[in-house]
Amino acid sequence: MVPVGDLPAFAAAELERAGGEGLIPIPPVRARAQSRNPYAEPDDPGLFAVYSGQQCVGYYGVLPGLLRIGAELSRVYWGSTSYILPEFRRTAATLIMARIIKKAVPESAYANVSPEGVKVLKYMGVRPLGRLPYRIVNLRRMPPKVRRQLLLFGARKRLREITTREAEEIDPADFFRPAAEDDGVEFYRGPEAINWMLRHKWVAIGSGGRRRLNYQFSHHRDYFRHIAVKVYSVRGNDYKGFAVILVSSSGGRTVLKVLDDSFASPFDRRYILPIALSYAERHRADYIQFSDELTRFLSRGSPLRLFARPKERLYLAHSAGPDSPVARAFGGIRLKFCDGDTAFT
């Protein structure tokens, strides 16, 4: 087990050991970012690696987070990465990994798991938690006139009602906690988690970070930027709230994700997608991803609604016991698009 506080040193040593060819369990850029997790203690588990002799044959990455039940916050460990070399998947390496998942991080949650991974987790007693609906818009498939109407004209009316300013970070005072959510149950992401994401990237960016690594998850992007956008009214310049978007480019494809937001009035969330569309046009995005709940702010005839393909993300969880926080939260958690490690890559 590699503690969160030791991740940077471990990643540097593993990169040297691998010599550019062997499997590495975590790249240095991701290790540095995860070591600054505001919801983790230095001795929390951050990574498990399995070896055959001196060769790394598999790894399981852990992302410490928080579960909120009313005013109670408790630690939960997200499964972030999991990989075993194909030639070792029928050996003791798989059994060791299974034991790690079940015993070492009992209060755990999982999302974005492959179908094969779901089968393994269910076999170990990890239970389905729920499904989160979200939307993907493939702008490449839109007729040019429809795309232009959507990006240039569809959002213009809403954007005339507001002023926007990009911010380097989110002030805790700008993070609204509606009273209606006081008794809610959720995987908590407060301003400290958002600012951590804004300050510390999980991927190397540009030609300087293009070194090829034997790592099975995201570690490089041609372009990668989290953008925090504060929203104000045109009249009176009153602060309404903020939204965060991610623009990421790799292999000639640009994806825009609509991430965290917080508004004093829930009705003002109607500005989020128009803001996202303006950035999609600016960055010539090929795809847009956003939470399904934002579709309620779209008109029935909106091109964005018509071309948004529905998708689902399966969640699973494992509890430490029948009275643990995760066990008590089963069936009542409000799932959100930014749960787990979704927002970071």
Side-chain angles (χ1 to χ4, degrees):
M1 189 271 281
V2 183
V4 169
D6 294 345
L7 284 174
F10 174 80
E14 285 296 293
L15 189 63
E16 183 177 354
R17 176 197 55 78
E21 296 182 1
L23 184 71
I24 64 167
I26 188 169
V29 63
R30 183 181 283 227
R32 287 193 297 271
Q34 291 193 0
S35 70
R36 293 169 169 82
N37 183 348
Y39 295 154
E41 298 294 335
D43 59 351
D44 274 338
L47 181 75
F48 296 87
V50 180
Y51 295 84
S52 175
Q54 296 299 311
Q55 179 189 11
C56 178
V57 300
Y59 52 84
Y60 173 65
V62 180
L63 179 66
L66 295 177
L67 172 66
R68 183 179 72 85
I69 304 176
E72 173 192 349
L73 292 175
S74 62
R75 192 65 48 82
V76 64
Y77 297 94
W78 287 94
S80 181
T81 58
S82 181
Y83 182 77
I84 299 177
L85 288 172
E87 59 268 34
F88 286 90
R89 291 176 186 173
R90 295 185 179 274
T91 68
T94 300
L95 296 177
I96 292 172
M97 196 73 76
R99 181 175 178 84
I100 288 171
I101 295 173
K102 191 170 183 179
K103 300 294 185 181
V105 283
E107 290 283 278
S108 56
Y110 308 86
N112 293 321
V113 183
S114 67
E116 296 78 11
V118 170
K119 291 179 182 178
V120 173
L121 289 171
K122 287 184 177 179
Y123 178 77
M124 294 185 308
V126 178
R127 294 187 291 159
L129 185 63
R131 293 181 180 273
L132 175 79
Y134 65 100
R135 301 287 181 127
I136 295 180
V137 180
N138 185 343
L139 295 173
R140 287 177 169 179
R141 291 187 176 181
M142 278 189 177
K145 290 184 178 180
V146 175
R147 173 174 172 151
R148 182 174 179 82
Q149 179 185 6
L150 172 67
L151 296 179
L152 293 183
F153 305 116
R156 185 168 294 176
K157 180 179 179 180
R158 289 285 184 225
L159 294 178
R160 288 196 190 105
E161 301 172 3
I162 57 173
T163 298
T164 62
R165 302 173 192 168
E166 293 184 6
E168 293 185 0
E169 61 180 41
I170 297 300
D171 190 302
D174 296 333
F175 191 81
F176 299 105
R177 293 177 174 84
E181 291 186 8
D182 286 352
D183 296 326
V185 181
E186 64 180 353
F187 294 112
Y188 179 72
R189 273 173 62 87
E192 54 283 322
I194 297 171
N195 287 333
W196 167 45
M197 178 181 70
L198 293 173
R199 296 169 187 150
H200 304 291
K201 308 303 182 190
W202 284 27
V203 298
I205 306 169
S207 58
R210 200 183 293 275
R211 177 180 177 182
R212 183 176 178 83
L213 301 176
N214 190 0
Y215 182 67
Q216 302 301 310
F217 298 88
S218 301
H219 68 276
H220 172 267
R221 291 284 187 270
D222 298 320
Y223 181 86
F224 188 91
R225 186 186 174 203
H226 287 102
I227 307 169
V229 183
K230 290 189 174 183
V231 180
Y232 300 81
S233 63
V234 172
R235 295 182 180 180
N237 210 29
D238 296 325
Y239 175 69
K240 291 180 174 290
F242 72 86
V244 182
I245 62 174
L246 168 61
V247 181
S248 175
S249 298
S250 181
R253 186 180 77 165
T254 298
V255 178
L256 184 146
K257 293 182 181 180
V258 182
L259 303 178
D260 302 272
D261 70 85
S262 181
F263 285 82
S265 168
F267 185 62
D268 285 335
R269 299 184 75 211
R270 68 190 188 277
Y271 297 117
I272 296 175
L273 288 178
I275 291 170
L277 290 172
S278 70
Y279 278 92
E281 173 64 17
R282 188 180 309 177
H283 292 275
R284 298 183 179 180
D286 300 298
Y287 299 88
I288 302 175
Q289 298 182 19
F290 57 92
S291 171
D292 184 72
E293 64 182 3
L294 291 178
T295 59
R296 67 189 180 94
F297 297 106
L298 298 173
S299 64
R300 288 188 177 182
S302 166
L304 192 61
R305 180 188 288 274
L306 296 175
F307 283 87
R309 182 161 51 100
K311 300 279 285 184
E312 282 189 334
R313 179 190 304 154
L314 174 65
Y315 285 64
L316 302 101
H318 187 270
S319 61
D323 297 322
S324 74
V326 169
R328 289 188 284 117
F330 254 90
I333 299 178
R334 177 189 172 224
L335 304 176
K336 296 176 295 183
F337 187 73
C338 292
D339 290 332
D341 61 4
T342 301
F344 296 93
T345 59

